[in-house]
Amino acid sequence: MKPLRKALDSVEPLFKKGGKLEMLYPLYEAGDTFLYTPGEVTSTGSHVRDGIDLKRMMSLVIVALMPAILFGLWNTGYQANIALQHDAPAFQAAAPEGTTITYEETEGGLYNVSSVTGSDWHYWIIELLGIGYSPDNPLACIIQGAVWFLPIYIITLIAGGTCEAIFAVLRGHEINEGFLVTSMLYPLTLPATIPLWQVALGIIFGVVIGKEIFGGTGKNFLNIALTSRAFLYFAYPGEVIGDKVWNAASQIVRQPDGTFATVDGWSSATMLTWLGANGGSTLTDYQNWYSGMGAGSFDWFSSFIGTIPGCIGSTSALACLIGAAILIGVGIGSWRIMLGCVIGLVATTLPLWLIGSETNAMFQIPPWYHLVIGGFAFGAVYMATDPVSASMTNTGRWWYGILIGFMTALIRVINPAYPEGIMLAILFGNVFAPLIDYFVVQANIQRRLARVA
């Protein structure tokens, strides 16, 4: 590494003040700090020194995200491969002209798919790798998941990173590490089939409108990844919350005009989406419909593990719990916020579930199901605990978490037009976080004044 260090040191004067490339110093600094930990540390007693800086904090958050990322890769491929295994003829019948799915029927009535040709470029890569389409092969599932996840992640890095670099150059400050976490959170909240140009548009909106116009890292009051997703949620609902966007196999039957052809017997809608569109149905109706597709049973345990349709990285409550343990253990994630979200959600959905409704299927979902379906666990662990946009005081964190859980339940159950409520609930909580802290501080001041009066 010494030659690289010497090379960076030799060109550093060009980027320093007065150098020919002075305006590009943020780009030089970003590369230098990415490769080497900053060598400048405080040495005198007047400074408060800690063992953790922003770079290390971001690195630990990324480590905590690894369980969700790895499970998301596997589940994305697993959901696609199991759809092909059960309905390969239906997918072939609905596929555009020129697409060929080669398969043979097995004794159990399932289909062993050996190749998918003429489809979009994702399946071209899978064919090139020759890994196959068996849902029983973990490596085949992970690779298929990676083929869908990595392009979304790379586009997020390029589009969002370019915006960060432009603002850093214009303002003459360093490129912050916070975007590394945003660039991983954002793709995990998206369906695998989302068009890449929409991915770029969403992250550009989030970085520019959600962060940079307020001054950059540390000055945004909204979570960047959720701001990006919220933009796509309202701008392109058909690609983000439609009933056929959750399964990568559905891309095989996507028509040239961008619409999905109908695959009889296979829709792969999430529980929240399905119940939101079938007002008079019950949880049992969804479970029977899900089992009828041949994708296995839909119950609390499968939802907890995460082997269900959903966004790339947010289906597994178990993976989120592992991430929560890491965040709490290293002192980055607030357990008060996470527990507050759970209390708010359960306390609100319990009476609604007891009251029931014959016209709104969302009332039929028990409180313990709300904890493991949709993106609640992912949002409560990774999004609500964002140290920049969350409440800062310990008491405020309790109320902030409870508010998010409460709003999640209201949006999901009372207004089924928005079947997934955690995203809007966290953004709502972000807006009220400063006000919550204000009242907590004022209450402390009044309490102390009363004590000395």
Side-chain angles (χ1 to χ4, degrees):
M1 296 295 286
K2 286 184 178 179
L4 180 60
R5 179 69 266 172
K6 289 182 178 178
L8 288 170
D9 290 341
S10 65
V11 299
E12 184 178 8
L14 297 174
F15 297 93
K16 289 287 190 178
K17 190 171 183 179
K20 294 181 179 179
L21 303 176
E22 177 185 349
M23 285 191 63
L24 300 180
Y25 176 76
L27 299 179
Y28 166 81
E29 193 277 339
D32 186 76
T33 54
F34 180 78
L35 296 170
Y36 297 94
T37 301
E40 299 83 8
V41 296
T42 58
S43 57
T44 62
S46 61
H47 296 87
V48 176
R49 293 185 291 277
D50 198 332
I52 190 169
D53 56 7
L54 180 61
K55 183 190 295 291
R56 189 164 300 172
M57 179 186 291
M58 296 299 107
S59 301
L60 291 173
V61 174
I62 291 173
V63 171
L65 274 169
M66 281 299 129
I69 293 174
L70 294 176
F71 186 87
L73 295 183
W74 175 82
N75 191 50
T76 298
Y78 174 75
Q79 295 293 332
N81 289 341
I82 204 169
L84 290 173
Q85 186 187 51
H86 284 79
D87 280 303
F91 278 96
Q92 176 62 82
E97 185 177 356
T99 299
T100 302
I101 303 175
T102 305
Y103 58 87
E104 60 180 9
E105 188 172 2
T106 64
E107 294 181 356
L110 302 177
Y111 300 93
N112 182 17
V113 177
S114 56
S115 69
V116 178
T117 58
S119 184
D120 71 8
W121 56 272
H122 295 91
Y123 286 91
W124 179 82
I125 295 176
I126 296 172
E127 288 295 314
L128 186 65
L129 296 174
I131 194 65
Y133 302 91
S134 172
D136 299 323
N137 184 347
L139 184 60
C141 294
I142 289 176
I143 288 181
Q144 166 138 207
V147 167
W148 293 91
F149 172 77
L150 289 179
I152 296 175
Y153 177 62
I154 292 171
I155 290 297
T156 300
L157 273 180
I158 294 174
T162 300
C163 293
E164 287 261 338
I166 291 174
F167 276 89
V169 170
L170 293 176
R171 290 174 173 156
H173 63 59
E174 300 171 352
I175 297 176
N176 300 114
E177 294 83 358
F179 181 70
L180 288 178
V181 173
T182 301
S183 68
M184 285 198 171
L185 285 173
Y186 173 61
L188 295 176
T189 66
L190 300 176
T193 54
I194 189 167
L196 294 180
W197 66 270
Q198 291 184 9
V199 174
L201 203 58
I203 193 63
I204 290 173
F205 180 88
V207 170
V208 175
I209 305 299
K211 182 170 76 171
E212 294 299 343
I213 64 171
F214 294 103
T217 300
K219 298 178 180 177
N220 56 287
F221 68 96
L222 295 176
N223 182 281
I224 311 303
L226 282 182
T227 303
S228 304
R229 190 182 190 278
F231 172 79
L232 296 180
Y233 185 84
F234 290 107
Y236 307 101
E239 283 77 9
V240 178
I241 58 174
D243 63 351
K244 297 181 179 62
V245 301
W246 309 108
N247 196 303
S250 62
Q251 194 74 8
I252 293 176
V253 299
R254 192 163 189 142
Q255 306 301 301
D257 62 356
T259 60
F260 289 102
T262 300
V263 177
D264 293 337
W266 197 277
S267 173
S268 196
T270 67
M271 175 181 174
L272 291 170
T273 303
W274 195 89
L275 289 180
N278 295 273
S281 303
T282 65
L283 175 60
T284 303
D285 292 334
Y286 176 77
Q287 290 172 324
N288 292 336
W289 171 82
Y290 190 85
S291 300
M293 290 198 305
S297 61
F298 184 98
D299 51 26
W300 187 91
F301 186 72
S302 63
S303 302
F304 174 72
I305 299 298
T307 54
I308 56 175
C311 294
I312 294 176
S314 61
T315 62
S316 176
L318 175 60
C320 294
L321 279 179
I322 297 173
I326 296 174
L327 290 176
I328 295 172
V330 299
I332 295 177
S334 169
W335 63 269
R336 293 177 178 85
I337 293 177
M338 299 179 196
L339 188 56
C341 290
V342 173
I343 293 173
L345 184 73
V346 173
T348 309
T349 54
L350 179 60
L352 295 175
W353 175 60
L354 293 174
I355 294 171
S357 171
E358 294 182 355
T359 57
N360 188 340
M362 293 299 182
F363 279 75
Q364 311 296 328
I365 304 176
W368 52 90
Y369 263 91
H370 276 287
L371 295 173
V372 296
I373 61 175
F376 174 77
F378 188 83
V381 171
Y382 297 110
M383 302 291 203
T385 56
D386 178 1
V388 176
S389 55
S391 288
M392 305 291 182
T393 60
N394 284 338
T395 303
R397 285 168 177 155
W398 279 110
W399 289 111
Y400 170 78
I402 291 172
L403 175 64
I404 290 175
F406 171 72
M407 291 303 300
T408 301
L410 286 188
I411 296 171
R412 278 185 178 181
V413 179
I414 304 298
N415 187 356
Y418 300 100
E420 175 54 273
I422 185 67
M423 175 190 69
L424 297 177
I426 293 175
L427 292 175
F428 187 81
N430 289 164
V431 173
F432 278 87
L435 189 63
I436 293 173
D437 283 337
Y438 171 80
F439 282 116
V440 170
V441 171
Q442 290 301 313
N444 287 338
I445 292 174
Q446 295 302 322
R447 189 164 48 249
R448 292 189 178 188
L449 288 175
R451 193 180 303 160
V452 299

